[in-house]
Amino acid sequence: MNAIVIKRGREKSLLRKHPWIFAGAVAAVEGRPETGETVEVLLADGSRVARAAYSPASQIVARVWTFDPQEDVSAEFFRGRLSRALELRGSLAPTGDPGAARLVNAESDGLPGVVVDRYGSWLVVQLLTAGAERWREALVAGLDRLAASGIYERSDVDVRAKEGLEKRSGLLAGAEPPELVEILEGGCRFLVDVRNGHKTGFYLDQRGNRSVVSEYARGAEMLNCFSYTGGFGVAALAAGAARVTNIDSSAPSLDLSRRIAELNGIEAGRVEHVEGDVFAILRRYRDERRSFDLAVLDPPKFAESRSQLPRASRGYKDINLLALKLLRPGGVLFTFSCSGLMTSELFQKIVADAALDAGRDVRIVRRLSQAEDHPVALPFPEGAYLKGLVCKVAR
Ligand code: SAH
């Protein structure tokens, strides 16, 4: 088998079972491995420590499939990994169950580059890396035990370019999913556009946090910023919120959000949809002296790379400051960052700076993270990307 040899002194993360091998840590490539091919991973002393997918175009030049150097990486291997991921989640989803869940969470399920989400009886798959691409057939075949109505691919993401891969999407197996797949979450009905929606169609990682927001919702007027298809808003309205203002810059997302509100029997007067830039609209609301009991800030990833962190930090500070100003005494802010590069420490500091400048006395009453079907393998801290703070403004 072809192999990559790790530089002396650069083996530490591998020995701690971190699955990424950076180009700078590789002393030599033995043989001529193809893109996505499985290679042996050797330390400088010649000992074999892992088998990994080779990806010459990427800065992460190999991703470990297995730390057992004897284990065969084969269709059988992928069956086993899929079984383990499903087992961790407690059950094989029964056909006909209208729920939604992440079934495979990439590196943290021992399957770098592989994401599988279930929306009712439909599966949506992302193959993000050269190794995942190479094993696409085995992976799709391994999902057949779920007896899904259809398996749809949404590998139309920018990160594929870093692996030298084209974007891809379309039907992989079974029947074409409907234009909108209906799912049930926490008693609310949602419509998921698996073909064109963000990620695989829905922010499953926020499931638990929608439920937390609903705990605070009764009677409240809520501002839902970066609302997408209105997940937090619908959860709050179903839990008795008086009124929700959804703000998003995407007209199609807001259209779907209106449909979803209607589907849940929300009276038109209880929900408002505002199209535009959150930064500008919050400023306008501040000037108009509008106020709310609850505010959700769930912006897109502001920092894609380390060099973008300072700018991202200013963005987070700006929206948090504005939202805190709009809250009534006793109000609650639910503020999130899904940028993996933004540490919880830095995020908390930014929110603290925002509260200071807003002149509000604020306490963290709860810390939030991604839903439990988005687990974080301990050797892979990068898997923990979503963080949230529930902040209460003093009366
Ligand atoms: N809270 C949502 C997910 C938010 S995703 C949920 O739980 O489902 C981020 C959203 O922010 C996207 O819908 C995107 O259209 C929107 N967005 C990005 N930049 C924006 C901006 N400057 N102003 C308003 N919306 C923006």
Side-chain angles (χ1 to χ4, degrees):
M1 201 186 276
N2 295 320
I4 55 175
V5 185
I6 305 299
K7 283 182 186 162
R8 199 175 296 281
R10 295 294 296 272
E11 63 282 336
K12 215 159 135 199
S13 73
L14 266 175
L15 295 176
R16 290 183 56 84
K17 294 196 163 42
H18 191 286
W20 290 352
I21 300 171
F22 286 93
V26 173
V29 179
E30 293 177 354
R32 286 175 173 269
E34 286 172 27
T35 296
E37 196 178 313
T38 306
V39 293
E40 302 274 9
V41 182
L42 309 178
L43 298 188
D45 65 7
S47 56
R48 300 193 301 159
V49 289
R51 286 181 168 171
Y54 183 58
S55 181
S58 173
Q59 269 304 302
I60 303 173
V61 77
R63 292 180 201 239
V64 173
W65 287 130
T66 172
F67 285 97
D68 173 358
Q70 315 295 340
E71 191 174 20
D72 249 346
V73 178
S74 60
E76 204 39 51
F77 168 84
F78 287 101
R79 259 186 189 282
R81 281 293 153 100
L82 291 171
S83 299
R84 211 171 73 180
L86 297 171
E87 212 172 280
L88 183 84
R89 286 155 179 82
S91 72
L92 280 181
T95 332
D97 171 8
R102 172 148 299 188
L103 302 182
V104 178
N105 194 37
E107 273 80 351
S108 291
D109 280 306
L111 288 169
V114 183
V115 169
V116 182
D117 288 339
R118 180 176 74 81
Y119 296 108
S121 64
W122 305 90
L123 299 181
V124 185
V125 171
Q126 290 183 315
L127 304 174
L128 305 171
T129 56
E133 177 66 38
R134 179 127 180 151
W135 289 97
R136 67 164 49 236
E137 271 169 44
L139 286 161
V140 173
L143 292 170
D144 62 2
R145 81 194 82 171
L146 289 168
S149 302
I151 306 179
Y152 197 85
E153 178 173 16
R154 284 296 306 281
S155 306
D156 50 339
V157 284
D158 294 336
V159 292
R160 295 248 309 181
K162 295 189 183 169
E163 298 275 319
L165 304 170
E166 307 265 304
K167 293 182 181 179
R168 262 179 99 158
S169 56
L171 191 68
L172 290 172
E176 279 281 349
E179 216 167 291
L180 295 171
V181 175
E182 185 173 330
I183 59 163
L184 200 60
E185 182 197 279
C188 298
R189 296 162 75 184
F190 288 102
L191 299 170
V192 182
D193 181 348
V194 297
R195 282 185 193 74
N196 309 301
H198 295 175
K199 307 219 264 188
T200 62
F202 198 59
Y203 287 84
L204 290 173
D205 52 356
Q206 290 284 24
R207 182 195 310 110
N209 303 331
R210 282 187 280 271
S211 149
V212 171
V213 168
S214 69
E215 288 174 32
Y216 293 78
R218 180 148 292 281
E221 281 185 64
M222 181 170 119
L223 179 63
N224 186 19
C225 301
F226 308 96
S227 59
Y228 186 49
T229 56
F232 283 107
V234 171
L237 288 160
R243 192 175 152 79
V244 170
T245 300
N246 289 314
I247 307 176
D248 202 282
S249 54
S250 152
S253 300
L254 290 173
D255 281 342
L256 188 50
S257 180
R258 283 187 198 94
R259 281 183 68 175
I260 291 170
E262 234 170 79
L263 183 70
N264 286 279
I266 308 295
E267 304 84 336
R270 289 174 67 207
V271 56
E272 175 188 22
H273 285 90
V274 182
E275 183 186 336
D277 175 30
V278 164
F279 291 81
I281 291 168
L282 294 191
R283 285 201 161 70
R284 197 178 83 215
Y285 286 1
R286 176 199 59 193
D287 296 343
E288 294 170 358
R289 300 192 176 281
R290 281 187 68 165
S291 62
F292 299 87
D293 304 302
L294 305 177
V296 175
L297 293 174
D298 184 24
K301 211 169 168 182
F302 283 163
E304 297 279 352
S305 67
R306 218 162 275 285
S307 65
Q308 292 172 354
L309 256 184
R311 193 163 172 267
S313 301
R314 286 194 294 277
Y316 285 115
K317 174 159 174 209
D318 203 20
I319 52 176
N320 279 279
L321 193 163
L322 289 163
L324 283 168
K325 282 199 167 180
L326 293 174
L327 283 174
R328 296 176 184 136
V332 179
L333 171 68
F334 303 86
T335 182
F336 296 96
S337 165
C338 62
S339 305
L341 293 165
M342 171 68 58
T343 61
S344 348
E345 291 74 23
L346 179 54
F347 187 54
Q348 182 173 327
K349 187 172 173 303
I350 289 167
V351 178
D353 286 349
L356 199 63
D357 287 9
R360 307 302 299 262
D361 180 9
V362 180
R363 309 183 151 61
I364 297 171
V365 293
R366 205 149 158 179
R367 289 172 189 278
L368 305 174
S369 63
Q370 62 221 47
E372 61 182 332
D373 53 3
H374 292 56
V376 181
L378 274 174
F380 185 64
E382 291 85 348
Y385 62 97
L386 182 63
K387 55 222 137 295
L389 298 172
V390 184
C391 294
K392 197 159 167 71
V393 177
R395 287 195 179 277

